[in-house]
Amino acid sequence: MMSIQGSMVTLICLLAPLPILAGAPEAISGNNYQQTLFTDDFSESELGNQWNLYKSSSVIKDGVLQGVELKDGGHAAVHQLLTKPYSDVELTVDLKFAGSPSTNLTFNQHKFKGSHAGHLCRVVVSPTKVTLRDGKTGVFNNEIFKKRRSKEKLTAEEQAILKKSQAVFPVKLEKDKWYTVTVRIKGDLMQAFIDGKLIGSLQSPGIAHATKDKIGLVTPKESIHYDNVIVKVP
C-alpha cells in the first residue's frame, strides 16, 4: 500500500506542469478561426458540388466517407474540396484507419504553377507518426520534384531544404478507432492536433502562401473513413 507521503508526492507530480521545450511554438488557439467556410457530415448519399474526386472509388456509407483508391489508378484516392481563397485556416476532420496505412490532409492552390500540381503544405497521419510538410519549398518544389522523379541526385542545398521543410512526430493510433484531427495554419506556422492535443509544429515559408483554395483528403489503398469535416478561417 502506498504511504501518505508517497501519495502526496504522486499528487504533486500530477499537478506539476509539464516542461516546455525551449523554442517550441505555443499551440495556436482555435479562437483565431471564427468564420465557418465549409462543413460536411456526409449525411447525404453523395458528395456535394464543392467536392471533386480524383482516382477514387470512394463511397458514402452510413453517414461516413469511406476513402478507397481506384483500382489500377496509379494514385491515391483524392477527395478535393474547392473553396474561396484563404491564408490562415483551421481544418478539423474525424478519421478512422480501416486498412489504409496513412492519410494526407493537404492544402493547395487551384492551378498554381509554382509547385507540382499546386501542392503547398500537408499533414500526413499514420498510426505511428504524424508528418508536417511544406511542399511548396520542399518535396513539391518544381525543380526538386523533377529531379526526384527522374532519380537525379539532389544538391547538398536541395537536400538541406528537404530536411528543413518537414517535421516528424511519433504517435500511437489504433486501427478502427475514431480520432479528431485538427490542422491549424497561422502565417508560416502549421500545427497538428489529435483529440485536442498538440502533436507537432512546423514553421516554413511555403506554409504562408496567401491564396490556398483547395483542401484534399488523400487515401492510399483502402480505406480511411472520414466524417465531420469543418473548415474555418479568421
Side-chain angles (χ1 to χ4, degrees):
M1 181 179 294
M2 183 180 292
S3 67
I4 294 177
Q5 182 178 6
S7 299
M8 292 179 63
V9 170
T10 301
L11 180 59
I12 291 171
C13 290
L14 288 173
L15 294 176
L18 294 173
I20 299 175
L21 297 176
E26 294 183 0
I28 301 170
S29 172
N31 293 331
N32 292 303
Y33 312 91
Q34 296 293 328
Q35 179 185 351
T36 299
L37 197 61
F38 178 84
T39 181
D40 198 343
D41 63 2
F42 304 111
S43 57
E44 302 294 329
S45 59
E46 296 183 358
L47 290 174
N49 292 334
Q50 281 187 265
W51 290 103
N52 179 48
L53 298 183
Y54 176 75
K55 302 291 187 180
S56 168
S57 294
S58 303
V59 296
I60 294 178
K61 186 176 180 180
D62 300 325
V64 171
L65 173 62
Q66 300 184 4
V68 180
E69 183 178 313
L70 182 67
K71 184 178 180 181
D72 300 324
H75 194 284
V78 184
H79 317 87
Q80 299 173 332
L81 173 64
L82 192 62
T83 69
K84 69 179 184 181
Y86 57 85
S87 180
D88 293 353
V89 67
E90 177 188 77
L91 167 67
T92 300
V93 56
D94 294 339
L95 60 85
K96 178 172 69 172
F97 293 95
S100 291
S102 64
T103 180
N104 289 241
L105 309 178
T106 68
F107 302 85
N108 306 329
Q109 182 182 339
H110 188 51
K111 297 184 178 179
F112 176 63
K113 302 300 182 184
S115 61
H116 174 72
H119 292 309
L120 301 173
C121 54
R122 66 183 54 207
V123 172
V124 185
V125 184
S126 82
T128 59
K129 63 184 178 181
V130 172
T131 303
L132 285 75
R133 185 173 290 146
D134 169 5
K136 179 183 176 181
T137 65
V139 69
F140 291 112
N141 168 278
N142 286 327
E143 191 62 28
I144 291 176
F145 183 83
K146 183 172 66 175
K147 283 187 175 183
R148 283 165 57 88
R149 174 175 275 185
S150 64
K151 302 192 184 305
E152 183 180 344
K153 186 176 180 180
L154 299 179
T155 66
E157 181 182 4
E158 289 167 335
Q159 292 178 26
I161 289 171
L162 277 183
K163 187 174 181 180
K164 288 173 58 178
S165 67
Q166 74 171 30
V168 183
F169 303 90
V171 294
K172 288 177 121 180
L173 306 180
E174 300 176 22
K175 183 180 177 181
D176 295 322
K177 179 178 177 180
W178 284 101
Y179 296 93
T180 299
V181 178
T182 301
V183 180
R184 291 182 185 140
I185 293 175
K186 186 178 181 183
D188 64 354
L189 178 63
M190 180 167 64
Q191 294 184 330
F193 301 76
I194 296 180
D195 292 342
K197 177 184 177 183
L198 175 61
I199 301 301
S201 306
L202 174 66
Q203 197 156 16
S204 189
I207 295 169
H209 189 90
T211 50
K212 310 172 187 77
D213 62 6
K214 191 162 63 171
I215 287 173
L217 310 179
V218 183
T219 306
K221 309 303 179 185
E222 181 180 355
S223 154
I224 299 286
H225 292 184
Y226 303 97
D227 202 359
N228 301 317
V229 175
I230 304 172
V231 181
K232 291 185 176 182
V233 292

